[in-house]
Amino acid sequence: GAGVSQSPRYKVAKRGQDVALRCDPISGHVSLFWYQQALGQGPEFLTYFQNEAQLDKSGLPSDRFFAERPEGSVSTLKIQRTQQEDSAVYLCASSLSGQVSQPQHFGDGTRLSIL
Amino acid sequence: DAKTTQPTSMDCAEGRAANLPCNHSTISGNEYVYWYRQIHSQGPQYIIHGLKNNETNEMASLIITEDRKSSTLILPHATLRDTAVYYCIVRVAAGGTSYGKLTFGQGTILTVHP
């Protein structure tokens, strides 16, 4: 496919479980971003990768959140010991380069529900 | 990043032009204006962006005032499928330390009616 692909589309987990969310960016895109969107709100930045390097993780809400992109393509966002407040849509976006003149292209997100 | 102000909601008749305003009075000279929209249950969709000059693509036109303190997104012939939340975002240009992250506000809910 030509766009950003995220899986799973929906994830339900019990409080305290660990979850892993996957993002397949557009082929050849150097930059990759993760955002969190709470119900009724705009997306909020979590973390940024340039190739395999995580250059900004200032938006991660706690040390329970961890992201990686080991080979500079696919990225995984992991949440350990999930809490109810982690329920949200997690969005991934990629762009061709790190230049801010290059638009970010988003996937349709993973809707995470913590029971 | 500079803050943006948008109306909470707008209506438009199908087939008419939709003009969505955005105020960004504190914008700096190296900051871009970006527009995204988000349809229910989908990720944000890139529409258009600009720095100083007006821009046009297959989706929309972006009109930026000369002082760059405001802009207008124009959908020339709105359809029912254009009903969405529209976000106006000001983004720091190359050289900033934000790495180009997008800071979303509340956006404008555009409803296109028959």
Side-chain angles (χ1 to χ4, degrees):
Chain A
V4 176
S5 178
Q6 292 188 246
S7 60
R9 190 80 169 87
Y10 302 92
K11 176 69 178 177
V12 179
K14 293 182 179 179
R15 187 163 56 94
Q17 289 183 331
D18 298 348
V19 297
L21 313 179
R22 177 187 170 105
C23 172
D24 284 84
I26 294 171
S27 178
H29 278 198
V30 166
S31 296
L32 186 145
F33 300 79
W34 284 97
Y35 293 82
Q36 179 189 58
Q37 186 170 23
L39 190 63
Q41 303 296 315
E44 292 191 356
F45 169 79
L46 292 177
T47 187
Y48 165 65
F49 288 86
Q50 185 169 312
N51 294 306
E52 68 279 1
Q54 188 175 20
L55 298 185
D56 187 351
K57 51 183 181 180
S58 62
L60 296 176
S62 77
D63 59 6
R64 296 186 295 103
F65 286 71
F66 172 76
E68 60 183 5
R69 193 186 185 198
E71 297 179 357
S73 56
V74 171
S75 177
T76 303
L77 177 66
K78 298 179 180 179
I79 309 173
Q80 298 176 322
R81 304 180 304 281
T82 53
Q83 304 294 318
Q84 283 193 322
E85 61 263 28
D86 300 335
S87 295
V89 176
Y90 291 85
L91 295 160
C92 176
S94 70
S95 64
L96 188 60
S97 74
Q99 296 295 319
V100 293
S101 57
Q102 290 289 333
Q104 295 177 28
H105 299 279
F106 285 79
D108 285 335
T110 294
R111 182 176 296 275
L112 176 64
S113 298
I114 305 300
L115 305 179
Chain B
D1 292 351
K3 182 176 178 178
T4 61
T5 304
Q6 299 178 253
T8 302
S9 63
M10 294 183 64
D11 288 334
C12 179
E14 189 177 20
R16 298 280 192 167
N19 297 284
L20 290 86
C22 180
N23 195 304
H24 30 79
S25 58
T26 60
I27 193 170
S28 299
N30 63 349
E31 292 179 324
Y32 284 77
V33 179
Y34 270 80
W35 283 85
Y36 281 79
R37 71 181 183 184
Q38 189 170 24
I39 298 168
H40 184 61
S41 297
Q42 296 182 20
Q45 178 188 22
Y46 165 75
I47 302 173
I48 199 167
H49 72 284
L51 184 61
K52 297 179 181 178
N53 300 321
N54 298 337
E55 303 287 344
T56 295
N57 63 21
E58 65 278 5
M59 289 184 67
S61 294
L62 174 60
I63 308 298
I64 303 174
T65 58
E66 193 169 341
D67 63 7
R68 302 187 69 240
K69 293 184 177 182
S70 66
S71 61
T72 301
L73 178 74
I74 301 172
L75 307 178
H77 305 287
T79 71
L80 299 180
R81 289 180 296 179
D82 291 323
T83 292
V85 179
Y86 286 77
Y87 295 101
C88 171
I89 300 165
V90 172
R91 193 178 176 203
V92 177
T97 57
S98 67
Y99 300 106
K101 68 181 179 183
L102 297 170
T103 302
F104 290 80
Q106 293 299 309
T108 295
I109 302 170
L110 175 69
T111 303
V112 180
H113 51 85

